[in-house]
């Protein structure tokens, strides 16, 4: 009897659980997500928590009233044949911040929703405020909704960032994002609110071309009986905002916080709902900040945007290779430091790979990476032991990329191997030497992509000697000194021969 009563009660409230890591839905709670294997990540989610509003389309929610005014293009879609669809000429709202626009694929797309994730304090609000000011200065109406700070705080930040523009004008600094246009733009509206209905009401009054929600985690829809900040609220608010963007052709930018290990419920779950996801990366204690595309329905995800946080907000780094390598050059020429030309999207950066070996405990030696792949490090350590005769089993090994950059490509393998061996053997290469190549399990050095472009960039920046895979060197006639190349090419077949040529 009791069981019967229990199942009746269950039938009334449809409950499900959503993983805050991968967003998968399961009917029962479990300690471990069956999809992604994350522990303690399932949270209760009530799909029909809107109470009496069952007839309403939950996806549209509050945006529906607005859409019904006849502005909507997406209100009542009909099936069409693929070849009858009018080709879409994707217009772009360029923010005027080149590095940001590059990652967006040319600018914000009207009707799309972009999510910007990143750790607290990394500079999301600063970037968006600068972008908003730039957009408003070109005559676009922008509504900046701040759910965490007061409008006074925003104004203070705007003033601080504005000085940037003034500064740039007086000094003619090309690297600054500010330019002659950025004086308090009239079309930039600020709203400090967290209630979605009130935000929609203000938006329908202001009619912005771009709506910024900073941050989406704090927004709530009062008609849901879930608490603000919960998965249910987050998902619903995001869905309604996406619908609003589509139906009014407004571009919406959402800000979401993530902690170091991507823990907090939020951005992960929202990634499926939005058109583009950008991550703001970098070390809070370093000046360099990187905006990286993770998902983009209107562009490539290969590009990155590089910024420098300064006293007056974020400044674009226009010649990243130059800046990074002059900084990188500081360690070059010392044991354990190797410069590697790494590709990021269409551009080549000179990054400095560093390694340090120190005596550890056999069987419990530490291996730590930052900005590099830990698996790659293990593999390269094994190769160095087996094919280059190094004894590293009882050595603690630390490897990192200088300046908060991340290098995932295998082209940096040889550089990493030389950095480790260099540190262990106390052997330095010349400061103007770069190394390039993928290391295979038998110790061979394999060719990498875009070698010409990497060498051209290295030569431009004044590097004199390059260790490159022998195959690529023969292929492209690099070794024969084709053309007026100012960089000496050293073809490398194996890790052990690279060690001999490393001087
Ligand atoms: P913020 O944009 O508030 O970060 P987020 O929105 O991602 O949490 O700012 C991050 C940090 O940047 C803040 O701690 C102060 C610093 N900052 C500067 O160094 N210079 C500046 O001009 C501004 C506006 C901020
Ligand atoms: Mg912020």
């Amino acid at each position: 009897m009791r069981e019967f009563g229990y199942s009746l009660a269950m039938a009334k409230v449809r409950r499900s659980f959503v993983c805050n890591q991968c967003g998968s839905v399961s009917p029962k709670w479990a300690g471990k997500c069956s999809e992604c294997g994350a522990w303690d990540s399932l949270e209760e989610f009530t799909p029909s928590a809107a109470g009496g509003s069952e007839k309403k389309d939950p996806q549209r929610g509050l945006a529906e009233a607005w859409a019904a005014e006849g502005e909507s293009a997406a209100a009542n879609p009909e099936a069409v044949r693929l070849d009858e669809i009018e080709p879409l000429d994707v217009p772009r709202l360029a923010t005027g911040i080149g590095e940001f626009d590059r990652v967006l694929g040319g600018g914000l797309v009207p009707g799309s929703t972009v999510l910007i994730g990143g750790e607290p304090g990394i500079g999301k609000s600063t970037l968006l405020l600068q972008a908003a000011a730039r957009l408003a200065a070109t005559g676009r109406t922008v509504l900046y909704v701040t759910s965490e700070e007061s409008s006074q705080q925003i104004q203070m930040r705007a003033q601080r960032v504005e000085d940037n523009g003034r500064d740039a004008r007086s000094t003619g600094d090309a690297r600054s994002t500010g330019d002659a246009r950025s004086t308090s733009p009239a079309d930039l509206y600020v709203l400090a609110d967290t209630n979605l209905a009130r935000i929609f009401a203000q938006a329908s009054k202001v009619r912005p071309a771009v709506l910024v929600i900073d941050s989406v985690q704090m927004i709530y829809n009062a008609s849901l009986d879930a608490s603000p900040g919960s998965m249910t609220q987050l998902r619903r608010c995001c869905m309604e905002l996406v619908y609003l963007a589509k139906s009014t052709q407004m571009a919406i930018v959402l800000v979401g916080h993530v902690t170091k290990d991507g823990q907090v419920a939020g951005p992960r779950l929202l990634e499926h709902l939005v058109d583009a996801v950008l991550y703001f990366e970098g070390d809070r204690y370093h000046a360099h900040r990187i905006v990286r595309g993770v998902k983009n329905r209107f562009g490539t995800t290969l590009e990155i945007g590089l910024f420098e946080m300064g006293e007056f907000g974020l400044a674009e780094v226009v010649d990243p290779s130059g800046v990074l390598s002059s900084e990188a050059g500081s360690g070059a020429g010392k044991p354990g430091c190797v410069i590697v030309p790494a590709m990021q999207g269409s551009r080549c950066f000179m990054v400095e790979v560093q390694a340090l070996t120190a005596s550890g405990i056999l069987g419990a030696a530490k291996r730590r990476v930052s900005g590099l792949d830990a698996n790659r490090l293990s593999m390269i350590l094994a190769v160095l032991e087996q094919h280059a005769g190094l004894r590293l089993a009882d050595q603690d090994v630390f490897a990192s990329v200088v300046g908060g950059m991340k290098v995932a490509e295998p082209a940096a393998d040889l550089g990493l191997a030389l950095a480790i061996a260099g540190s262990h053997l106390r052997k330095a290469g010349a400061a103007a030497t770069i190394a390039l190549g993928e290391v295979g399990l038998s110790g061979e050095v394999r060719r990498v992509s875009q070698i010409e472009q990497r060498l051209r960039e290295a030569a431009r920046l004044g590097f004199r000697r390059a260790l490159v895979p022998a195959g690529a060197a023969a292929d492209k006639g690099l070794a024969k000194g084709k053309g007026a190349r100012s960089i000496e090419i050293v073809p490398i077949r194996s890790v052990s021969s690279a060690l001999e040529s490393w001087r």
Side-chain angles (χ1 to χ4, degrees):
M1 205 50 208
R2 249 175 73 213
E3 245 171 54
F4 180 64
Y6 176 72
S7 65
L8 253 187
M10 285 297 289
K12 255 188 234 151
V13 195
R14 250 194 307 130
R15 298 201 304 171
S16 51
F17 294 86
V18 180
C19 172
N20 64 25
Q21 298 289 307
C22 66
S24 69
V25 183
S26 47
K28 270 198 255 165
W29 190 86
K32 187 180 177 185
C33 172
S34 58
E35 285 291 321
C36 68
W39 287 96
D40 197 22
S41 64
L42 295 193
E43 278 185 31
E44 187 169 346
F45 174 73
T46 328
S48 56
S53 58
E54 290 315 330
K55 282 167 267 120
K56 260 195 183 168
D57 185 339
Q59 239 188 55
R60 301 180 183 185
L62 293 163
E64 187 157 51
W66 189 346
E69 285 174 25
E71 292 187 53
S72 168
N76 282 310
E78 278 177 25
V80 260
R81 268 177 48 184
L82 182 62
D83 54 0
E84 283 171 2
I85 299 174
E86 299 260 321
L88 181 67
D89 178 24
V90 183
R92 301 273 181 178
L93 289 171
T95 64
I97 300 178
E99 294 288 304
F100 187 41
D101 287 339
R102 183 210 311 279
V103 183
L104 287 169
L108 293 164
V109 177
S112 75
T113 312
V114 179
L115 174 69
I116 303 201
E119 290 167 42
I122 198 82
K124 301 179 293 299
S125 305
T126 308
L127 175 66
L128 289 176
L129 191 63
Q130 283 179 253
R134 284 297 201 91
L135 276 165
T138 60
R140 256 83 178 222
T141 310
V142 181
L143 177 58
Y144 188 103
V145 177
T146 169
S147 56
E148 294 177 349
E149 296 166 282
S150 65
S151 21
Q152 282 80 11
Q153 278 172 304
I154 299 296
Q155 197 205 17
M156 271 164 59
R157 183 181 289 131
Q159 249 157 19
R160 191 170 168 182
V161 170
E162 214 179 274
D163 287 342
N164 184 5
R166 214 165 290 135
D167 236 35
R169 254 166 287 149
S170 55
T171 59
D173 183 355
R175 281 173 47 202
S176 170
T177 50
D179 71 3
R181 281 170 302 173
S182 69
T183 38
S184 268
D187 290 330
L188 176 54
Y189 292 83
V190 177
L191 170 68
D193 209 335
T194 51
N195 183 314
L196 193 65
R198 287 201 297 260
I199 293 171
F200 277 18
Q202 289 300 311
S204 82
K205 216 169 96 192
V206 174
R207 303 272 157 157
V210 178
L211 174 66
V212 180
I213 308 272
D214 181 8
S215 71
V216 70
Q217 264 121 337
M218 301 289 284
I219 303 288
Y220 71 95
N221 182 340
S223 67
L224 301 185
D225 50 12
S227 61
S230 68
M231 305 288 284
T232 313
Q233 282 285 5
L234 192 58
R235 208 168 151 122
R236 251 314 258 291
C237 289
C238 184
M239 268 189 333
E240 289 183 23
L241 285 163
V242 168
Y243 181 77
L244 180 72
K246 285 219 179 79
S247 56
T248 61
Q249 288 302 298
M250 187 192 288
I252 296 188
V253 184
L254 305 174
V255 174
H257 294 299
V258 257
T259 55
K260 263 248 180 301
D261 39 358
Q263 271 296 329
V264 171
R268 276 291 144 83
L269 186 77
L270 304 182
E271 279 176 10
H272 311 288
L273 302 176
V274 299
D275 296 303
V277 181
L278 312 184
Y279 271 94
F280 213 141
E281 305 175 347
D283 198 327
R284 206 178 337 161
Y285 307 104
H286 272 119
H288 284 129
R289 301 292 149 85
I290 295 156
V291 179
R292 191 186 297 278
V294 180
K295 160 180 170 176
N296 195 346
R297 288 187 183 146
F298 304 104
T300 157
T301 53
L302 291 172
E303 297 290 357
I304 68 166
L306 200 62
F307 293 92
E308 203 169 340
M309 179 64 96
E311 203 180 335
F312 303 115
L314 289 160
E316 290 175 68
V317 179
V318 173
D319 185 8
S321 247
V323 174
L324 280 175
S325 66
S326 62
E327 192 182 274
S330 57
K334 297 200 184 92
C337 298
V338 179
I339 307 290
V340 174
M343 298 300 298
Q344 299 276 1
S346 58
R347 293 183 295 172
C348 175
F349 296 143
M350 298 295 141
V351 297
E352 181 178 334
V353 177
Q354 292 192 335
L356 177 70
T357 59
S359 38
I361 302 160
L362 184 65
K366 292 192 197 79
R367 269 82 223 261
R368 299 280 183 275
V369 288
S370 124
L372 290 158
D373 180 10
N375 292 329
R376 218 71 211 170
L377 174 71
S378 310
M379 191 275 267
I380 283 167
L381 288 175
V383 169
L384 285 171
E385 286 240 354
Q386 288 296 325
H387 300 290
L390 262 62
R391 275 279 297 156
L392 295 165
D394 58 353
Q395 297 287 312
D396 289 343
V397 181
F398 306 91
S400 71
V401 177
V402 174
M405 290 284 290
K406 276 204 180 93
V407 179
E409 55 168 358
D413 285 358
L414 185 63
L416 179 57
L418 286 170
I420 298 167
S423 169
H424 191 57
L425 305 171
R426 311 230 187 279
K427 189 177 170 191
T433 305
I434 57 161
L436 196 56
E438 178 178 348
V439 171
L441 288 181
S442 61
E444 83 277 19
V445 174
R446 303 164 154 270
R447 65 188 72 183
V448 299
S449 60
Q450 287 150 296
I451 189 151
E452 288 272 6
Q453 191 187 343
R454 296 180 205 247
L455 291 175
R456 213 179 309 125
E457 186 66 11
R460 182 179 81 79
L461 291 164
F463 288 93
R464 294 272 154 264
R465 200 158 167 265
L467 272 56
V468 303
D475 254 25
K476 310 233 157 142
L478 296 175
K480 291 179 203 102
K482 225 183 193 180
R485 191 185 295 281
S486 57
I487 192 161
E488 180 198 348
I489 303 292
V490 185
I492 299 292
R493 287 192 190 287
S494 66
V495 172
S496 55
S497 70
L499 273 176
E500 279 161 30
S501 311
W502 184 242
R503 51 172 196 273

